[in-house]
């Protein structure tokens, strides 16, 4: 994806990340904390979970979170390829982000959530992997609508629980968050 096509602000940010040495790959997301720059969704989520005392206490809980988050990395890659397709100058290029690809992600993550027997992947309390899944669901719902989440009740419940957390709710309700197709009650 060429974010420059979106609003023109990406090129200077990327240049600053690379030139400063903060993030030689020049990719997002980044988090500045304790005078350092972290990059990558999973490392940032894991760092924040450790800072909050939610990671590093239970090996099996953390390993489950890591497994789920690995799965979201694959989904995130598929979503990013879809964005690349949307902004591709190549006419007629096939979009690989099909219903079948999406169904595979939903089915797998629904099964993992079912395995926990709880509202979240590692039990009754939210863990960093739940936010990673929510972010993929958010993007998928905005891109392709609600038809899949409506038939995955555990994912729908997880989405609603994360979406209604005060900080998430404030961000998602803000005027700069736009888009989405499908059932407005689900997206809410």
């Amino acid at each position: 994806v060429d974010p420059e096509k979106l609003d023109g602000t990406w090129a200077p940010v990327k240049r600053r990340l690379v030139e400063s040495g903060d993030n030689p790959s020049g990719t997002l997301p980044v988090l500045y904390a304790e005078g350092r720059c972290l990059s990558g969704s999973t490392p940032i989520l894991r760092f924040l979970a450790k800072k909050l005392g939610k990671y590093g206490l239970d090996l099996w809980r953390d390993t489950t979170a890591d497994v789920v988050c690995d799965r979201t990395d694959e989904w995130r890659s598929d979503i990013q390829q879809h964005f690349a397709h949307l902004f591709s100058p190549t006419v007629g290029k096939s979009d690989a982000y099909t219903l079948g690809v999406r169904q595979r992600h939903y089915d797998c993550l629904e099964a993992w959530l079912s395995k926990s027997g709880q509202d979240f992947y590692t039990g009754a309390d939210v863990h960093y992997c739940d936010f990673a899944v929510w972010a993929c669901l958010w993007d998928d719902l905005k891109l392709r609508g609600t038809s899949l989440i409506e038939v995955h009740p555990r994912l729908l419940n997880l989405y609603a629980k994360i979406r209604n957390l005060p900080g998430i709710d404030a961000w998602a309700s803000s005027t700069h968050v736009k888009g989405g197709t499908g059932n407005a009650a689900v997206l809410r």
Side-chain angles (χ1 to χ4, degrees):
V1 176
D2 181 3
E4 191 69 35
K5 292 179 181 175
L6 299 177
D7 67 4
T9 61
W10 172 240
V13 172
K14 181 174 183 168
R15 189 171 26 261
R16 183 177 49 87
L17 287 170
V18 172
E19 290 174 358
S20 70
D22 284 350
N23 182 2
S25 66
T27 58
L28 293 177
V30 297
L31 171 70
Y32 288 92
E34 301 173 4
R36 296 181 183 188
C37 180
L38 298 169
S39 64
S41 299
T42 301
I44 289 170
L45 286 170
R46 195 175 290 137
F47 172 83
L48 293 171
K50 287 178 184 179
K51 291 291 287 182
L52 296 171
K54 300 290 186 181
Y55 189 91
L57 302 174
D58 181 327
L59 177 63
W60 286 106
R61 183 174 189 253
D62 296 343
T63 301
T64 298
D66 292 343
V67 167
V68 171
C69 214
D70 277 354
R71 185 69 185 158
T72 65
D73 288 345
E74 183 181 331
W75 193 0
R76 172 71 47 217
S77 177
D78 288 340
I79 291 170
Q80 288 169 339
Q81 289 175 20
H82 177 65
F83 275 118
H85 168 76
L86 292 176
F87 293 100
S88 173
T90 308
V91 177
K93 182 179 172 188
S94 167
D95 183 3
Y97 194 58
T98 63
L99 178 60
V101 168
R102 295 172 58 235
Q103 182 79 45
R104 181 173 44 89
H105 293 302
Y106 275 83
D107 290 349
C108 180
L109 288 165
E110 179 85 2
W112 273 103
L113 193 51
S114 179
K115 185 177 173 179
S116 81
Q118 300 285 326
D119 288 339
F120 301 106
Y121 284 96
T122 62
D125 297 324
V126 68
H127 205 308
Y128 85 91
C129 64
D130 301 302
F131 291 101
V133 171
W134 185 87
C136 287
L137 289 168
W138 172 268
D139 287 345
D140 186 74
L141 292 169
K142 294 292 183 177
L143 288 168
R144 295 294 179 97
T146 62
S147 62
L148 283 177
I149 200 167
E150 290 173 351
V151 295
H152 291 84
R154 290 183 180 276
L155 285 175
L156 180 57
N157 181 57
L158 173 88
Y159 178 85
K161 286 190 175 291
I162 300 287
R163 169 64 175 81
N164 290 316
L165 292 173
I168 301 289
D169 183 55
W171 171 81
S173 298
S174 69
T175 57
H176 75 276
V177 178
K178 297 181 177 85
T181 61
N183 185 341
V186 173
L187 294 174
R188 171 69 188 107

